[in-house]
Amino acid sequence: MTTGTPNRPMPGTTPGLPPETDAQTWREALDDLRRREKAATRELDAIAAQRRRLPMVRMPDYTLIGAEGPVRLADVFKGRAQLITYHHMWTDGQEWQCGGCTGFTSQFTRLEFLDNYDARFVVVTNGPIEEALAYKEKVGNTMEWYSSAQSPFGADVDAPPGGGFGVNVFLRDGDTVFRTWHTNGRGTEQLSHTFALIDLLPWGRQEEWQDSPDGWPKRPTYSGWLDSPDIARMYGGR
């Protein structure tokens, strides 16, 4: 995959132009859309309220491997009460790991705000910690990484070796850890600012599956995403 300045069409030849209208008609159309946007916001508030009422599951006393060696899951919290983990897809010995996971986790460069919410957000992978830390450096990832290679933790939280990615949330009460929430697939999009920004654009993601007007730019799904070598070229080695 290549990156850089895209080819821009000549003036007056841009494909997929929305119909032009006067300011009042545009305002009325925007107000109509805004009603749906506000309804979606209220629904997301209701979903979050339901999430806060979910029961939780007590977890075994797992041991992960961090940069400084073995660490209990309860100690991954580093004194906080809440923990979010992103399980990064992994294939041992592979030069470039999952591009989607690599791009997704590269977004999170300023996580100190979670301190005010008694929480942390870390990466966990089923790969060996030495490989994981070398890859983290290679692609310029700034999050803290842990390995579950010597533990059933990954499989138990729906991200087994050879399986997919996933987000999990945990709550700590002393040395006891509880699992409170999980998602994978497109459920992780709510954590991403990249899709939120792209979806604001008139052409959206420009992917084949999108419901767009005739004439809008289209390309194969994922083809616009940055791949792992792109991330390394932009951010690696820092």
Side-chain angles (χ1 to χ4, degrees):
M1 181 182 299
T2 60
T3 60
T5 303
N7 294 324
R8 293 184 173 86
M10 296 295 291
T13 64
T14 304
L17 287 177
E20 186 175 349
T21 189
D22 60 88
Q24 180 60 34
T25 303
W26 175 82
R27 179 68 63 184
E28 291 171 358
L30 178 64
D31 289 344
D32 186 54
L33 176 63
R34 184 63 44 78
R35 284 189 284 271
R36 295 189 65 183
E37 291 175 337
K38 292 296 185 182
T41 298
R42 289 190 291 272
E43 177 62 14
L44 288 173
D45 288 343
I47 290 170
Q50 183 176 351
R51 186 183 299 116
R52 290 191 292 271
R53 288 165 173 78
L54 283 174
M56 59 186 185
V57 177
R58 184 184 298 259
M59 304 297 285
D61 189 14
Y62 295 103
T63 297
L64 306 182
I65 310 295
E68 298 178 359
V71 56
R72 297 174 62 207
L73 177 60
D75 293 329
V76 174
F77 287 71
K78 289 194 173 179
R80 279 76 160 187
Q82 302 172 106
L83 177 70
I84 304 168
T85 65
Y86 181 85
H87 230 102
H88 196 296
M89 292 176 65
W90 194 267
T91 301
D92 290 357
Q94 187 166 285
E95 179 182 7
W96 298 109
Q97 301 296 334
C98 168
C101 292
T102 303
F104 180 83
T105 56
S106 73
Q107 301 174 73
F108 304 107
T109 59
R110 296 290 185 270
L111 292 171
E112 294 82 3
F113 70 92
L114 288 174
D115 291 344
N116 286 348
Y117 296 89
D118 203 10
R120 295 191 76 209
F121 182 20
V122 303
V123 174
V124 180
T125 180
N126 293 308
I129 189 61
E130 296 81 9
E131 287 189 22
L133 294 177
Y135 187 73
K136 160 185 160 72
E137 176 68 19
K138 182 177 182 177
V139 299
N141 190 287
T142 62
M143 296 178 70
E144 191 160 351
W145 286 49
Y146 296 86
S147 168
S148 58
Q150 301 177 30
S151 164
F153 177 72
D156 291 350
V157 298
D158 299 293
F165 59 93
V167 174
N168 283 277
V169 180
F170 303 94
L171 182 66
R172 182 179 64 86
D173 182 18
D175 287 337
T176 304
V177 175
F178 299 90
R179 188 186 188 195
T180 64
W181 187 74
H182 165 262
T183 194
N184 54 23
R186 293 193 64 195
T188 62
E189 287 186 10
Q190 64 180 290
L191 281 71
S192 169
H193 69 259
T194 56
F195 291 125
L197 288 174
I198 294 168
D199 285 342
L200 293 178
L201 301 173
W203 294 339
R205 304 184 197 186
Q206 304 175 43
E207 296 189 353
E208 293 171 331
W209 62 270
Q210 277 198 300
D211 180 4
S212 297
D214 292 340
W216 254 234
K218 293 278 189 175
R219 57 189 172 191
T221 301
Y222 310 128
S223 63
W225 295 22
L226 294 179
D227 204 354
S228 301
D230 303 320
I231 299 297
R233 185 167 55 252
M234 293 175 179
Y235 309 116
R238 296 183 181 178

